[in-house]
């Protein structure tokens, strides 16, 4: 799109200031005053002529400006209505024509500014041909051309400035819409990220705490040591959840904090999660052979954490295997258990409506990877698998 130059911007700004000054006045009032002034100039030229002219010459001089109050709404008809008495007056009483025909200047300017394309070009041709053929001297022809064509050029300039102002306004509107859309999308993404964080933290911790709390009373007399371990696991899970919640809530409270600078768990912290799951009575084999960038490690940590949470909550598994290794240019994650292997209820993209599995898919997609979940081989157990690109 075209951009306005400094001169055009200045002219547009001055036009807007003048327009604002007369914003409360009806256009018909302003144009009627303009018509009265133009008629006064024409009548004054008749009065100052040495020839005593009859009344109808004064009437013709007045009629040249009579249509001006309707110039904004009917620019073409206004120019034509002004031109008819002006032409008659020029033929029958040429000597009373004013040096500067104000009605012609205003009409030409208005048509160049507001007229249709064919009207504007027809007017320009008529002005050039009429001034060349209708004047009696080269000086008069030059002056008439400068006055009429100059008015046309000025009207065309105002028309172009108004068009550029509309273009700029539309561009600003579109920029505003895009900014609002980007802001809304950023808010939605951030809300989704926080929801995933809160779900992963609370679901894992609460699941461990519930399992241990249910197991503790059953063994408190028969196996006090195991009961003590259960309560220790509850305390550890609660403390870990509090630490991670403070990470999230600390970023939410600090308006100046950048989300990407918030402390995030890495694969180095995964053994602690595995240990707590083992303390609940599930055998866990863990193999971590690769790590990767921090964002990939955070996503891998959360995926494994959620998969282990699902094992505790849904599978009745006795053992689970966690494998994290490099596979080409990606980090391959697999969490497989020997539980009852409940199938994933088909939904969007084959995923269930469970928030945990949806969160796994979203975390993998956020890293440019993919994830899958479903029954293990021969329908035994349940397998969560993901591939996260490691980048360059």
């Amino acid at each position: 799109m075209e951009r306005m130059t400094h001169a055009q911007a200045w002219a547009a700004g001055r036009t807007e200031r003048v327009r604002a000054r007369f914003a409360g006045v009806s256009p018909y009032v302003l144009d009627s005053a303009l018509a009265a002034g133009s008629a006064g100039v024409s009548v004054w030229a008749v009065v100052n002529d040495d020839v005593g002219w009859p009344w109808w010459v004064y009437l013709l001089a007045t009629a040249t400006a009579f249509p001006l109050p309707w110039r904004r709404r009917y620019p073409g008809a206004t120019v034509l209505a002004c031109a008819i008495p002006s032409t008659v007056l020029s033929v029958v009483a040429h000597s009373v024509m004013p040096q500067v025909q104000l009605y012609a200047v205003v009409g030409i300017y208005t048509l160049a500014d507001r007229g249709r394309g064919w009207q504007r070009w027809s007017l320009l041709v008529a002005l050039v041909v009429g001034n060349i053929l209708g004047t009696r001297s080269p000086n008069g022809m030059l002056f008439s051309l400068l006055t009429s064509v100059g008015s046309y050029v000025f009207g065309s300039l105002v028309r172009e400035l108004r068009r550029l102002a509309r273009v700029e306004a539309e561009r600003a509107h579109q920029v505003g819409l895009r900014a609002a859309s980007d802001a809304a999308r950023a808010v939605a993404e951030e809300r989704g990220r926080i929801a995933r964080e809160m779900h992963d933290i609370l679901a894992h911790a609460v699941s461990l705490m519930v399992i241990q709390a249910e197991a503790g009373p059953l063994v408190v007399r028969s196996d006090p040591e195991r009961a003590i371990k259960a309560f220790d696991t509850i305390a550890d899970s609660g403390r870990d959840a509090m630490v991670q919640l403070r990470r999230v809530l600390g970023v939410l409270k600090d308006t100046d904090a950048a989300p990407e600078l918030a402390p995030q768990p890495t694969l180095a912290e995964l053994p602690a999660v595995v240990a707590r799951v083992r303390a609940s009575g599930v055998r866990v084999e863990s193999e971590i052979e690769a790590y990767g960038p921090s964002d990939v490690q955070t996503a891998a940590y959360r995926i494994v954490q959620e998969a282990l949470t699902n094992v505790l909550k849904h599978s009745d598994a006795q053992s689970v295997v966690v494998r994290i290794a490099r596979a080409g240019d990606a980090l391959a994650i697999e969490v497989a258990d020997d539980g009852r292997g409940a199938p994933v209820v088909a939904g969007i993209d084959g995923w269930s409506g469970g928030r945990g599995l949806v969160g796994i898919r979203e975390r993998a997609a956020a890293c440019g990877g993919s994830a899958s979940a479903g029954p293990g081989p021969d329908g035994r157990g349940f397998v969560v698998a993901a591939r996260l690109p490691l980048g360059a």
Side-chain angles (χ1 to χ4, degrees):
M1 293 184 180
E2 302 176 16
R3 291 188 178 275
M4 290 189 288
T5 65
H6 291 296
Q8 291 173 330
W10 178 87
R14 184 167 182 82
T15 301
E16 289 300 322
R17 288 193 294 272
V18 173
R19 184 178 301 166
R21 182 178 301 174
F22 296 100
V25 182
S26 171
Y28 287 105
V29 174
L30 294 175
D31 291 338
S32 296
L34 189 62
S38 176
V41 171
S42 298
V43 171
W44 181 257
V46 178
V47 171
N48 284 331
D49 194 53
D50 294 335
V51 180
W53 294 102
W55 62 270
W56 54 268
V57 175
Y58 291 90
L59 181 62
L60 283 174
T62 304
T64 56
F66 179 77
L68 288 182
W70 295 275
R71 69 184 183 89
R72 301 172 194 259
R73 190 170 184 180
Y74 306 107
T78 298
V79 170
L80 184 62
C82 290
I84 292 175
S86 177
T87 302
V88 174
L89 188 63
S90 178
V91 172
V92 300
H94 186 77
S95 62
V96 303
M97 297 294 291
Q99 190 72 14
V100 178
Q101 301 168 22
L102 186 58
Y103 58 86
V105 171
V106 174
I108 292 169
Y109 160 82
T110 304
L111 185 57
D113 176 25
R114 298 172 178 269
R116 299 177 181 177
W118 67 269
Q119 292 176 327
R120 298 173 68 246
W121 288 112
S122 298
L123 174 65
L124 182 60
V125 171
L127 289 176
V128 174
V129 174
N131 282 302
I132 291 176
L133 300 180
T135 51
R136 302 177 182 180
S137 68
N139 289 337
M141 178 188 68
L142 181 61
F143 182 80
S144 297
L145 282 174
L146 289 175
T147 303
S148 58
V149 177
S151 301
Y152 181 91
V153 170
F154 186 66
S156 298
L157 177 61
V158 172
R159 179 190 185 96
E160 180 65 12
L161 290 176
R162 188 178 289 114
R163 185 191 70 81
L164 290 175
R166 288 195 300 268
V167 170
E168 292 294 329
E170 178 62 23
R171 179 184 298 150
H173 178 66
Q174 294 299 326
V175 169
L177 290 179
R178 285 195 296 270
S181 176
D182 291 343
R185 183 165 53 252
V187 169
E189 291 175 354
E190 185 63 11
R191 289 178 63 182
R193 186 186 71 83
I194 294 173
R196 289 193 300 269
E197 294 288 338
M198 299 290 284
H199 174 273
D200 292 346
I201 294 169
L202 294 177
H204 179 73
V206 172
S207 296
L208 284 173
M209 293 167 71
V210 169
I211 291 172
Q212 296 299 325
E214 290 176 344
L218 299 178
V219 298
V220 69
R221 293 180 180 175
S222 61
D223 192 350
E225 289 295 328
R226 184 177 175 186
I228 291 173
K229 290 182 179 179
F231 293 128
D232 287 342
T233 301
I234 292 174
D236 291 342
S237 299
R239 281 191 292 268
D240 181 67
M242 290 297 296
V243 170
Q244 296 191 56
L245 283 174
R246 286 194 187 100
R247 291 175 175 174
V248 177
L249 297 178
V251 175
L252 292 178
K253 289 179 181 178
D254 186 359
T255 56
D256 296 329
E260 63 271 17
L261 299 181
Q264 294 293 326
T266 64
L267 290 177
E269 302 175 47
L270 193 58
V273 176
V274 171
R276 286 194 294 272
V277 175
R278 286 195 185 113
S280 69
V282 179
R283 295 189 303 276
V284 182
E285 294 182 18
S286 176
E287 299 178 8
I288 304 177
E289 300 175 358
Y291 291 86
S294 58
D295 58 334
V296 173
Q297 289 195 48
T298 298
Y301 175 95
R302 292 301 188 193
I303 289 171
V304 174
Q305 182 187 53
E306 179 57 37
L308 292 176
T309 301
N310 287 339
V311 171
L312 295 175
K313 291 169 61 176
H314 306 300
S315 70
D316 289 334
Q318 299 300 312
S319 65
V320 59
V321 177
V322 178
R323 293 189 181 92
I324 301 176
R326 186 181 184 111
D329 58 352
L331 190 69
I333 303 166
E334 183 179 275
V335 181
D337 64 63
D338 62 353
R340 59 172 174 257
V344 178
V345 179
I348 298 176
D349 296 334
W351 289 77
S352 73
R355 180 63 200 168
L357 294 180
V358 173
I360 289 175
R361 177 189 62 180
E362 292 176 348
R363 286 190 179 279
C367 292
S370 60
S372 61
D378 300 325
R380 294 193 301 271
F382 197 80
V383 179
V384 174
R387 287 177 63 88
L388 308 179
L390 293 172

